[in-house]
Amino acid sequence: MTEQRKLTKFDGNLLWYLAGNEDCKTYSKQMLNETLSWICRERKINYVEIRLEEIVVSVENDRLQLIVNSKQVEYLPLVVVIRIPPRLSVDSHITVIHHLELLGCRLINSSAAIMRCVNKMWTLQELANRGLPLPNTFSYGCRSNPLNVLDSVEDQLGYPLVVKNVKGCQGRQVFLARDSCMLHETLPVLKHETPYLFQQYIRESHGKDVRVIVVGGKIIGAMLRQSADGRMQSNCAAGGSGTAFNLSPEGEKLALEVAQCLGLDYCGIDLLLSGHNFYVCEVNANAGFERFNSALGVNVAECISEFALAELARLRSEVNCSQLFFVDDSESIIENGKEQ
């Protein structure tokens, strides 16, 4: 345990929900907020919703400090549920999240797990290192001579092939290059700051994939997503449909291995179909679940909330008693914050 963490004072009866303004109106963000608030109220847990934009982090007198809405935070929560926007600002958002971790808070998900999913190529690198099944994929380290990567891509992948922005989301900035002419039309975008990747086209999975949601090492369910207009992208956010899917034991095992490999407490895993086999396409540390809930008749927000409260109960028994306090409700309210 670090010296800083030994000095941190925790409120054993406090849970935070940390989200970004960019995500403030989505169904999943609101549903998770309402569910956490309701369950915490039922179990007499103090609950505060905080936005990333309300936090200031500092290093003062050789120690980490935290300020929320211009007020110094004395008692930290043992558990913080994180819901950051898909377009993560790596520098500012991860700075806050990492600060909370160094202070000793248990984050759901951790900063390291989130970072593994910020860039699609970083995700694939981690999974390939574990030997998990993936589509063959190429990317590049220098934008100055993109023709080099295109030559390798044509030789190794053939056509058609998939072109993706490594930070794209909801089916955007993804297209199918059917021939060399279409591929070379990507040259201008390859010079942008955010890189692209080039991926093997799995023909059998054109316009469809399987979204699996995992919470706390358990499969919540699987949903078959299908394009409504014959496009390659099957994302529900792009107009695709979603129906319950009976995932095989092999598919379940793969999804759990993916979540464990990336260190994710909660995630959405997209699997491509190829006969009876699966390939991991992408992993989302901030997966939405509106269509998933309606298609499967489940409540993902409740699953996440129950997992968070189970972690809170576990940590109460593990934290040094000299650090653990049970602050009166009136003392724990953060000025201008959203005490529930």
Side-chain angles (χ1 to χ4, degrees):
M1 183 182 294
T2 65
E3 198 63 34
Q4 171 73 47
R5 187 168 181 176
K6 289 178 183 177
L7 296 170
T8 302
K9 291 190 288 187
F10 295 102
D11 181 350
N13 205 41
L14 175 64
L15 185 144
W16 280 8
Y17 176 41
L18 186 59
N21 275 339
E22 300 93 330
D23 198 39
C24 64
K25 294 182 180 179
T26 68
Y27 165 91
S28 300
K29 187 270 180 184
Q30 292 177 330
M31 185 71 171
L32 185 52
N33 180 33
E34 292 169 5
T35 305
L36 279 167
S37 175
W38 173 74
I39 292 179
C40 286
R41 188 166 55 248
E42 288 289 308
R43 301 182 191 179
K44 296 180 171 47
I45 302 294
N46 296 330
Y47 171 70
V48 182
E49 180 199 3
I50 297 174
R51 294 181 183 172
L52 284 161
E53 292 79 4
E54 297 169 342
I55 291 181
V56 173
V57 298
S58 67
V59 178
E60 301 176 65
N61 302 317
D62 305 326
R63 288 193 58 198
L64 302 175
Q65 303 290 348
L66 189 70
I67 298 167
V68 177
N69 289 315
S70 303
K71 182 179 179 181
Q72 192 86 33
V73 177
E74 183 178 3
Y75 298 99
L76 284 163
L78 284 170
V79 173
V80 182
V81 177
I82 305 289
R83 186 163 184 90
I84 55 174
R87 297 175 188 83
L88 173 73
S89 172
V90 174
D91 288 341
S92 60
H93 291 174
I94 288 293
T95 296
V96 170
I97 295 168
H98 186 53
H99 199 86
L100 286 168
E101 275 182 324
L102 289 175
L103 284 167
C105 300
R106 164 72 164 98
L107 305 190
I108 300 171
N109 288 302
S110 71
S111 62
I114 292 169
M115 284 297 291
R116 293 182 189 113
C117 299
V118 165
N119 179 308
K120 299 180 195 300
M121 195 65 192
W122 297 352
T123 304
L124 297 177
Q125 288 170 329
E126 295 287 341
L127 300 179
N129 195 44
R130 185 69 68 90
L132 298 178
L134 309 165
N136 294 334
T137 306
F138 291 74
S139 192
Y140 47 93
C142 180
R143 294 170 284 157
S144 60
N145 190 10
L147 282 173
N148 286 343
V149 68
L150 295 192
D151 290 341
S152 297
V153 164
E154 288 182 305
D155 291 342
Q156 299 298 322
L157 295 181
Y159 294 100
L161 60 89
V162 180
V163 183
K164 295 181 183 178
N165 185 296
V166 297
K167 293 187 179 179
C169 62
Q170 298 181 334
R172 294 189 290 266
Q173 296 175 293
V174 180
F175 67 91
L176 189 65
R178 297 185 179 277
D179 53 37
S180 180
C181 181
M182 290 183 69
L183 179 62
H184 281 74
E185 286 177 357
T186 67
L187 277 172
V189 301
L190 297 188
K191 296 180 180 180
H192 292 176
E193 184 176 350
T194 302
Y196 277 69
L197 60 77
F198 305 88
Q199 198 165 69
Q200 174 187 1
Y201 173 59
I202 307 297
R203 190 175 301 274
E204 292 175 70
S205 205
H206 182 96
K208 62 182 178 181
D209 66 11
V210 176
R211 163 61 62 89
V212 185
I213 285 187
V214 177
V215 178
K218 297 179 181 178
I219 302 284
I220 303 305
M223 177 177 72
L224 179 67
R225 305 190 301 181
Q226 293 182 284
S227 168
D229 55 9
R231 289 189 300 169
M232 179 180 62
Q233 296 96 318
S234 58
N235 305 66
C236 293
S241 63
T243 55
F245 183 81
N246 186 22
L247 190 62
S248 67
E250 293 78 14
E252 290 188 353
K253 180 175 182 291
L254 175 58
L256 292 175
E257 286 179 330
V258 168
Q260 191 275 330
C261 174
L262 299 174
L264 290 160
D265 299 306
Y266 159 67
C267 62
I269 300 165
D270 299 337
L271 303 177
L272 300 176
L273 303 156
S274 181
H276 296 294
N277 300 318
F278 296 99
Y279 293 94
V280 182
C281 180
E282 297 178 10
V283 184
N284 191 335
N286 190 52
F289 46 80
E290 180 175 8
R291 193 68 63 89
F292 195 92
N293 277 359
S294 60
L296 275 68
V298 297
N299 187 333
V300 174
E302 186 173 350
C303 296
I304 297 171
S305 300
E306 291 291 354
F307 174 72
L309 288 177
E311 283 296 284
L312 178 61
R314 178 182 67 81
L315 290 168
R316 279 176 174 173
S317 64
E318 295 181 3
V319 172
N320 189 310
C321 61
S322 65
Q323 295 177 267
L324 192 61
F325 300 82
F326 291 87
V327 182
D328 181 80
D329 209 20
S330 61
E331 294 179 62
S332 67
I333 295 176
I334 295 173
E335 289 180 4
N336 302 317
K338 296 181 179 179
E339 177 81 7
Q340 305 292 327

